[in-house]
Amino acid sequence: MAGASIIPSQVLHKSPASASDLELPYSNAVDSRQGFFTKELKTPLEDVKRYCNFYEFGTGKTDPEKHAQSLTTDPWSLEVQGEVLHPGTLHLEDILSSFQLEERIYRLRCVEAWSMVIPWIGFPLSKLLARFEPKSSAKYVEFRTLYRPTEMPGTRSIFGSIDWPYREGLRIDEAMHPLSLLAVGLYGKTLPNQNGAPIRLVVPWKYGFKSIKSLVSIRLLRSQPSTTWQKLAPNEYGFYANVNPDVSHPRWSQRTERRLPTSFFDPRRINTELFNGYAEQVGSLYAGMDLKKYF
Ligand code: MTE
């Protein structure tokens, strides 16, 4: 594990409320067999920052870039509770100084059939969970985003149907898988607010809505938690949400995706792969499961 000394002091002692755009120290992932990086063309930073889904800041793709800048991300803490031997809270500073950061270049496939390739900076979720010592009764993990209506215009909409805070969940073996990442940055710097600052989950073999942003709470549970999109439209969004070209969304096919950035002349439509191309790494987690039933 990295000592506090390798973290630049401006990352540990940044001015209140402004944590974005600071350089992060990290090592490069070396093992492509584990799916830790892809040589595919990366989505330019400007597109990653401009085309976002973060409903707390509005439903339009550019709303998060416009409205998330006022989100206060410092101070920030993350609590870990439930079926663990040592429940507790970590401040962002503790997290940055405790876990060795690495770059992971992952495909991100949204359920809306667009995709990107993003160089994240982060560390395995399993390392954070291990620190709190999950009990054998911990079968699932629930994640929650910050809910702060004063800074999140999307949560104040009277037409909204989301029951805030935004919630997601994984099975414990999915959470412990080496590909499940807690990201604190992208393109070598701290996360832009609209991409989930200061800390978010990235689960590359699942539709993007599982990759919950701006995390404040993790709970280890005995039973499967209720999740935001499943609660809103259970026939459209499942708990598993594994990328799967053979299981259509009720309103559109999942066979292909638009790899951003696209243009009228260059739609960049490519075939979608099972588990978003990570089948070799994660296929065994779902051996014997009916993926049409558990979508
Ligand atoms: N997390 C929260 N809290 N709120 C959201 O609206 N949208 C999800 C996911 N995480 C969302 C969220 C969806 S639908 C996608 S596709 C990804 O974030 C998009 O991540 P990006 O905007 O960084 O590309």
Side-chain angles (χ1 to χ4, degrees), residues 188-248:
K189 294 186 172 178
T190 44
L191 282 175
N193 285 0
Q194 63 268 35
N195 296 102
I199 183 163
R200 71 174 291 176
L201 182 67
V202 185
V203 191
W205 71 96
K206 292 178 178 282
Y207 291 120
F209 66 84
K210 301 293 290 182
S211 292
I212 182 171
K213 295 178 169 182
S214 303
L215 263 180
V216 290
S217 158
I218 296 181
R219 283 198 305 152
L220 287 92
L221 303 173
R222 289 167 183 264
S223 49
Q224 189 177 305
S226 152
T227 58
T228 293
W229 290 102
Q230 199 191 18
K231 195 168 174 203
L232 204 65
N235 58 325
E236 301 197 4
Y237 308 103
F239 176 80
Y240 281 91
N242 290 316
V243 175
N244 191 339
D246 296 330
V247 179
S248 299

Side-chain angles (χ1 to χ4, degrees), residues 1-19:
M1 277 193 191
S5 59
I6 70 156
I7 308 292
S9 59
Q10 71 269 30
V11 173
L12 290 176
H13 308 292
K14 52 206 176 297
S15 55
S18 67

Side-chain angles (χ1 to χ4, degrees), residues 48 51-56 58 64 108-112 114 116 118 120 145-146 162 164 166-167 186 194-196 200-201 207-214 229:
V48 176
Y51 192 92
C52 294
N53 274 339
F54 202 166
Y55 281 77
E56 287 85 337
L108 174 85
R109 169 54 157 91
C110 179
V111 73
E112 297 164 341
W114 53 264
M116 298 191 189
I118 303 178
W120 302 105
T145 293
L146 175 78
I162 293 179
W164 307 103
Y166 192 101
R167 289 176 208 139
L186 56 83
Q194 63 268 35
N195 296 102
R200 71 174 291 176
L201 182 67
Y207 291 120
F209 66 84
K210 301 293 290 182
S211 292
I212 182 171
K213 295 178 169 182
S214 303
W229 290 102

Side-chain angles (χ1 to χ4, degrees), residues 155-176:
T155 66
R156 303 196 298 261
S157 163
I158 51 165
F159 303 108
S161 37
I162 293 179
D163 175 20
W164 307 103
Y166 192 101
R167 289 176 208 139
E168 258 312 329
L170 293 174
R171 235 170 42 190
I172 188 79
D173 57 343
E174 297 177 321
M176 298 307 274

Side-chain angles (χ1 to χ4, degrees), residues 83-199:
E83 302 296 310
V84 288
L85 288 180
H86 311 292
T89 298
L90 283 179
H91 298 287
L92 189 65
E93 289 80 357
D94 307 329
I95 294 172
L96 289 171
S97 61
S98 304
F99 299 98
Q100 175 74 59
L101 300 181
E102 38 184 296
E103 181 172 69
R104 298 277 184 95
I105 306 179
Y106 284 167
R107 293 175 286 276
L108 174 85
R109 169 54 157 91
C110 179
V111 73
E112 297 164 341
W114 53 264
S115 65
M116 298 191 189
V117 175
I118 303 178
W120 302 105
I121 308 292
F123 59 94
L125 170 63
S126 62
K127 293 208 169 153
L128 179 113
L129 296 180
R131 166 155 319 181
F132 294 86
E133 296 196 46
K135 297 182 192 167
S136 57
S137 52
K139 305 289 185 221
Y140 291 88
V141 188
E142 185 212 57
F143 305 88
R144 289 182 186 216
T145 293
L146 175 78
Y147 175 53
R148 190 181 288 148
T150 50
E151 292 182 356
M152 295 175 151
T155 66
R156 303 196 298 261
S157 163
I158 51 165
F159 303 108
S161 37
I162 293 179
D163 175 20
W164 307 103
Y166 192 101
R167 289 176 208 139
E168 258 312 329
L170 293 174
R171 235 170 42 190
I172 188 79
D173 57 343
E174 297 177 321
M176 298 307 274
H177 192 279
L179 282 172
S180 294
L181 190 75
L182 282 174
V184 293
L186 56 83
Y187 271 103
K189 294 186 172 178
T190 44
L191 282 175
N193 285 0
Q194 63 268 35
N195 296 102
I199 183 163

